[in-house]
Amino acid sequence: MESYISRKIQFSAEFGNLKKKYNLISFLRLMCILFALVSLFYYIKTQQSLFEITAIILVIIFIILIRFHSKLSNRINHLEALISINENEILFLKKEKIPFENGIEFTDFSHPYSYDLDIFGENSLFQNLNRTYTFIGKKILSQRLLGILPNDEILQNQVAIKELSKDLDWRQKFAAFAKSAEDNESFYTTLLRWCSFNSASLSRISVVLSFVLPIILWCTLGLYFITSNTIFLSVFTFIFTINLGFSDVFLNRIQAENAQSTNIDKVIKQYGLLLEIIEIKDFESEKLKGLQQKLITTDGTSSSKIKQLSELFSRMDSIGNIFSAVLFNGLFLYHFHNLRAIIHWKKSNALALENWLEVIGEFEMLNSLANFSFNNPQFAFPTLNSNYEISFSNVSHPLLNENSRVGNDISFNPQAFTILTGSNMSGKSTFLRSLGVNMILAGIGAPVCANQANVHPLSVLVSMRLSDSLSDSESYFYAEIKRLKLIIDALNDQRSFVLLDEILRGTNSDDKRNGTIEFIKNSINKNAIGVIATHDIEVCLTTDEFPNQLTNRCFEVEISNDDLHFDYKLYNGICKNKSATFLMKKMGVI
């Protein structure tokens, strides 16, 4: 947290100094334009060249101040983003709030673990990890959390995350540019829709005329000033009108392009800045270098091309101003040339644009995981294997308070499947979620909440928390049966990591017990690895029949001084103590 506090102080001080300069330049700009007008007034009144020169100098200074003012404005916006980023991290680490998007829109109730393991939503894994500010970044992070990568890609991610976690300056600079974009799904989809929007080439004769007509126009104006012959002024007016008519012929095409691009030039500009700092950074890891290579083009940099597109979009917006549209189209056929430039840009770069944006999204995803690693230096990067070996030392849930969470050791070798018992509130469900979340983190290259881990990344299949599907007229019981069927079908295809919490609750005890035992047998026959939590002691006796595949572990509760005490530690064997009857008596229920 100290890093974030010191950076907030540093950026706030710089922000205050720049804000003073910004206000001073604003005042100087105002004075320049006022004194320029006064000088112009006295020049008209006295015809003294001193006032004319003074007015010209003041206008030049005004233009210079505008450029300086714009640069200061961009830097101030960047500092505001940096201050906000560090403030959010401080709030997050103080456990005061989680000021990051929760990705609730990505929740998929039919997914094997999305809903059960709280991947999305308030206080979810996504919300705790998420440091993305573009839509594509958020989308790619959500996609990573819903699946596993091949071992080689996981290892590449691990190295990339380690590299980025050490470079807080670059990560926050990148995040600040992304945050300043104020990107959203609408902007992103609008841009991709514009890319796919068909833009036929302009005819050769129209292109030739677009150069010839303005040249003739300015030649006639020059001849008028040289000769003072009014016929040249008449020709100038005539050609000016022709230019407006010429522009009007292409008005529909110009407006069609504009309809696809309105209001996204700012976002595009920030995309360009994001690509630029990726391009100029000297990365070491194979993953980051590979992403960098995707931005290389044969005729320039991707960032310069994106900045060019931003400028073209910005120019296109001026068509809505009638005065400027008439003036610039009459004099230069301005919007026609801009249309020609946009069509050329699209034909040259539209296919690559989506790939460039995906590189931004990949970096935002990796930045989020690097930030997670930076905030939790005690978390371990798992060792990977291809032997279906899974073990964790001092594993816990990464979202629990580090001062109160309790870690446990577990290994799924030689017995690959564990039957877990324990009274309510003893920690069974939390432990199952801890295993599931850490398997997901391991499967994308992130560090896990454990001292050590040796993992064969596997698909995670979970049945822990289902709800009645009223829209599909499904009961809880039927929804659970469908989930168990999904798990068995998946096990038919590949060996997976399975987490089950008290299955078949919607039937009688005998049916539930028999069904649970048979499901366990079917799962281990399909080489499932994982844990099933149950309250039924008879289910635990299945280990006698399959001692090489099954083992019993438990969470115990101690009744002391007329109260329950949970240590949340994992023990060998079957749970002995019961808490339900004790609590009911204590609370006067029985």
Side-chain angles (χ1 to χ4, degrees):
M1 189 187 300
E2 293 303 320
S3 298
Y4 299 126
I5 293 174
S6 63
R7 292 175 72 82
K8 178 189 172 183
I9 294 171
Q10 171 194 336
F11 294 135
S12 296
E14 187 179 350
F15 175 83
N17 292 332
L18 284 183
K19 196 69 176 176
K20 291 177 183 177
K21 292 182 181 179
Y22 181 86
N23 292 334
L24 176 61
I25 290 173
S26 296
F27 175 75
L28 292 176
R29 284 173 54 194
L30 178 62
M31 290 299 99
C32 280
I33 200 67
L34 286 176
F35 281 113
L37 291 173
V38 170
S39 298
L40 185 62
F41 170 78
Y42 278 105
Y43 169 71
I44 294 172
K45 187 175 182 181
T46 65
Q47 294 298 308
Q48 293 185 19
S49 58
L50 176 64
F51 290 113
E52 180 185 16
I53 294 171
T54 301
I56 293 172
I57 291 173
L58 288 171
V59 169
I60 292 172
I61 294 173
F62 176 77
I63 293 172
I64 293 172
L65 288 175
I66 285 178
R67 293 178 63 85
F68 193 43
H69 193 264
S70 177
K71 289 181 179 179
L72 274 181
S73 178
N74 291 336
R75 179 58 185 166
I76 286 171
N77 290 337
H78 189 69
L79 284 171
E80 284 181 319
L82 286 169
I83 292 168
S84 175
I85 286 167
N86 285 280
E87 285 177 341
N88 287 342
E89 292 297 339
I90 293 167
L91 289 171
F92 175 73
L93 292 176
K94 284 183 175 179
K95 310 295 182 184
E96 293 181 8
K97 64 182 293 189
I98 307 179
F100 311 112
E101 290 189 54
N102 60 32
I104 187 68
E105 66 271 26
F106 299 113
T107 301
D108 180 0
F109 293 99
S110 63
H111 189 269
Y113 58 76
S114 168
Y115 177 62
D116 301 71
L117 297 181
D118 299 311
I119 302 301
F120 305 108
E122 284 300 310
N123 302 308
S124 63
L125 178 64
F126 179 91
Q127 188 176 30
N128 279 265
L129 293 176
N130 181 30
R131 299 299 186 274
T132 67
Y133 296 98
T134 67
F135 172 74
I136 185 61
K138 184 168 65 170
K139 181 181 177 182
I140 288 179
L141 177 60
S142 70
Q143 290 173 343
R144 289 294 175 271
L145 292 174
L146 294 178
I148 62 166
L149 298 171
N151 279 22
D152 59 337
E153 290 188 35
I154 294 173
L155 292 172
Q156 288 180 12
N157 276 7
Q158 286 185 357
V159 177
I161 290 166
K162 289 175 184 177
E163 179 180 350
L164 289 174
S165 68
K166 297 174 184 176
D167 199 344
L168 182 59
D169 285 338
W170 190 88
R171 283 194 290 109
Q172 289 203 342
K173 182 179 180 180
F174 185 87
F177 281 133
K179 185 177 178 65
S180 299
E182 299 179 357
D183 186 28
N184 58 42
E185 183 177 5
S186 175
F187 286 136
Y188 179 77
T189 54
T190 297
L191 183 58
L192 293 189
R193 185 169 58 246
W194 174 82
C195 283
S196 61
F197 180 71
N198 183 33
S199 296
S201 298
L202 297 167
S203 65
R204 180 170 297 182
I205 188 170
S206 64
V207 173
V208 171
L209 287 173
S210 71
F211 287 100
V212 170
L213 289 173
I215 290 172
I216 295 174
L217 178 83
W218 285 98
C219 287
T220 56
L221 184 63
L223 289 171
Y224 167 74
F225 281 116
I226 293 171
T227 65
S228 297
N229 191 333
T230 57
I231 191 169
F232 291 114
L233 191 61
S234 299
V235 173
F236 173 86
T237 304
F238 177 69
I239 297 176
F240 186 93
T241 305
I242 290 177
N243 283 349
L244 291 179
F246 182 91
S247 296
D248 191 57
V249 171
F250 296 92
L251 182 62
N252 289 337
R253 287 199 62 179
I254 293 170
Q255 289 178 331
E257 292 289 349
N258 196 48
Q260 302 290 325
S261 62
T262 303
N263 299 325
I264 62 174
D265 54 294
K266 178 187 175 183
V267 180
I268 288 291
K269 180 181 178 181
Q270 294 303 118
Y271 283 158
L273 293 172
L274 288 167
L275 292 172
E276 183 177 29
I277 66 170
I278 294 172
E279 290 168 345
I280 63 177
K281 176 69 173 174
D282 186 19
F283 293 112
E284 297 178 1
S285 69
E286 181 182 348
K287 173 78 173 186
L288 300 181
K289 285 182 177 179
L291 290 172
Q292 203 174 39
Q293 286 293 314
K294 292 183 179 181
L295 303 181
I296 295 177
T297 67
T298 57
D299 57 343
T301 63
S302 59
S303 61
S304 64
K305 292 180 181 297
I306 290 290
K307 288 179 182 178
Q308 179 190 11
L309 180 62
S310 172
E311 180 63 27
L312 291 173
F313 279 159
S314 181
R315 292 175 190 170
M316 190 67 81
D317 282 342
S318 64
I319 196 171
N321 186 315
I322 302 248
F323 175 78
S324 63
V326 169
L327 180 63
F328 287 108
N329 286 327
L331 292 175
F332 309 106
L333 294 176
Y334 178 83
H335 285 110
F336 176 87
H337 286 289
N338 202 62
L339 172 65
R340 187 172 67 87
I342 282 180
I343 292 173
H344 176 73
W345 192 99
K346 187 184 294 189
K347 289 184 180 300
S348 301
N349 305 294
L351 293 177
L353 178 61
E354 188 170 359
N355 292 330
W356 297 340
L357 299 185
E358 286 184 0
V359 169
I360 292 175
E362 285 282 344
F363 266 93
E364 279 212 287
M365 179 272 295
L366 292 169
N367 258 7
S368 295
L369 300 182
N371 191 81
F372 176 67
S373 179
F374 180 83
N375 286 348
N376 300 279
Q378 73 278 21
F379 287 5
F381 283 89
T383 301
L384 303 187
N385 68 80
S386 301
N387 305 317
Y388 297 99
E389 296 177 6
I390 298 174
S391 62
F392 293 96
S393 174
N394 198 37
V395 66
S396 186
H397 200 295
L399 306 191
L400 293 177
N401 191 309
E402 61 182 291
N403 297 320
S404 58
R405 64 182 173 225
V406 178
N408 286 286
D409 298 345
I410 189 168
S411 175
F412 295 91
N413 186 42
Q415 291 94 352
F417 211 85
T418 296
I419 299 176
L420 182 65
T421 52
S423 61
N424 289 323
M425 303 184 297
S426 64
K428 298 192 309 299
S429 295
T430 299
F431 182 67
L432 292 178
R433 287 192 171 90
S434 298
L435 291 174
V437 165
N438 283 297
M439 283 293 292
I440 292 164
L441 291 172
I444 62 176
V448 298
C449 184
N451 291 345
Q452 287 183 321
N454 182 27
V455 175
H456 180 141
L458 296 172
S459 296
V460 178
L461 308 172
V462 182
S463 180
M464 293 182 62
R465 185 179 64 202
L466 298 166
S467 59
D468 289 356
S469 180
L470 298 179
S471 61
D472 294 333
S473 302
E474 288 183 355
S475 67
Y476 177 97
F477 181 69
Y478 186 62
E480 185 177 27
I481 295 298
K482 284 178 62 178
R483 172 55 61 87
L484 296 177
K485 176 67 164 58
L486 180 149
I487 291 173
I488 291 298
D489 288 345
L491 288 171
N492 287 330
D493 295 331
Q494 61 181 350
R495 200 170 183 184
S496 303
F497 191 77
V498 179
L499 296 171
L500 308 166
D501 190 8
E502 200 66 30
I503 63 173
L504 304 176
R505 297 176 220 182
T507 185
N508 64 67
S509 57
D510 287 338
D511 195 27
K512 174 184 173 183
R513 180 186 310 114
N514 294 333
T516 300
I517 291 172
E518 291 305 315
F519 187 84
I520 292 174
K521 291 179 180 179
N522 197 12
S523 297
I524 62 176
N525 284 336
K526 298 180 184 299
N527 295 315
I529 302 173
V531 182
I532 180 169
T534 181
H535 287 291
D536 198 321
I537 302 302
E538 290 190 35
V539 172
C540 301
L541 301 180
T542 313
T543 57
D544 296 335
E545 187 178 350
F546 300 95
N548 295 325
Q549 291 88 13
L550 296 174
T551 185
N552 285 308
R553 306 295 294 276
C554 66
F555 287 101
E556 288 287 10
V557 57
E558 181 182 351
I559 302 174
S560 176
N561 298 323
D562 198 36
D563 204 355
L564 295 175
H565 297 276
F566 300 97
D567 63 6
Y568 307 110
K569 297 301 294 182
L570 191 63
Y571 297 95
N572 293 321
I574 303 170
C575 174
K576 297 180 177 61
N577 293 326
K578 311 292 190 297
S579 60
T581 304
F582 171 82
L583 278 175
M584 292 175 73
K585 286 181 179 179
K586 184 174 181 178
M587 299 178 67
V589 177
I590 57 176

